[in-house]
């Protein structure tokens, strides 16, 4: 399926320790807005999202993960126009607060996106 490239930057802090941002590129279906971009929910942690509320361009929700490293927290994601977004995920893992921030912007180069 025809797609276009997005650049995603993700950084994590926990207990005063900051990991440097990791930047990657992902291919999303052509024409998909910032709402379709990845928000950093751990794929391998059996996470469930609930209590989703949207006000204007900002969506907040609760996340509970019951995988090998159980964690709970909140996600706030703001769409900054059709070509950019910003997400902050605040979690607690084994009593330790963890904050993951990510942002993305559309680069627009053609790529081959996976089917939804």
């Amino acid at each position: 399926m025809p797609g276009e490239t997005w650049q995603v930057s993700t950084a994590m802090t926990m207990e005063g320790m900051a990991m440097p941002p990791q930047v990657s590129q992902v291919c999303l279906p052509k024409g998909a807005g910032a709402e379709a971009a990845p928000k950093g929910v751990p794929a391998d942690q059996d996470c469930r999202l609930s209590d989703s509320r949207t006000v204007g361009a900002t969506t907040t929700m609760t996340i509970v993960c019951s995988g090998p490293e159980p964690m709970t927290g909140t996600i706030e994601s703001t769409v900054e126009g059709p070509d950019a977004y910003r997400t902050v995920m605040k979690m607690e893992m084994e009593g330790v607060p963890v904050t993951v921030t990510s942002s993305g912007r559309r680069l627009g180069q053609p790529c081959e996106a996976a089917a939804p």
Side-chain angles (χ1 to χ4, degrees), residues 12 14 45 68-72 91-98:
M12 182 175 78
M14 60 189 290
Q45 293 294 324
E69 298 172 354
M71 52 189 121
T72 60
M91 314 240 343
E92 189 166 304
M93 185 171 66
E94 296 181 4
V96 177
V98 176

Side-chain angles (χ1 to χ4, degrees), residues 62-92:
T62 301
I63 181 169
V64 177
C65 302
S66 59
E69 298 172 354
M71 52 189 121
T72 60
T74 59
I75 298 174
E76 180 177 286
S77 185
T78 302
V79 174
E80 299 173 333
D83 299 326
Y85 71 91
R86 176 180 37 86
T87 299
V88 177
M89 182 168 39
K90 295 183 178 186
M91 314 240 343
E92 189 166 304

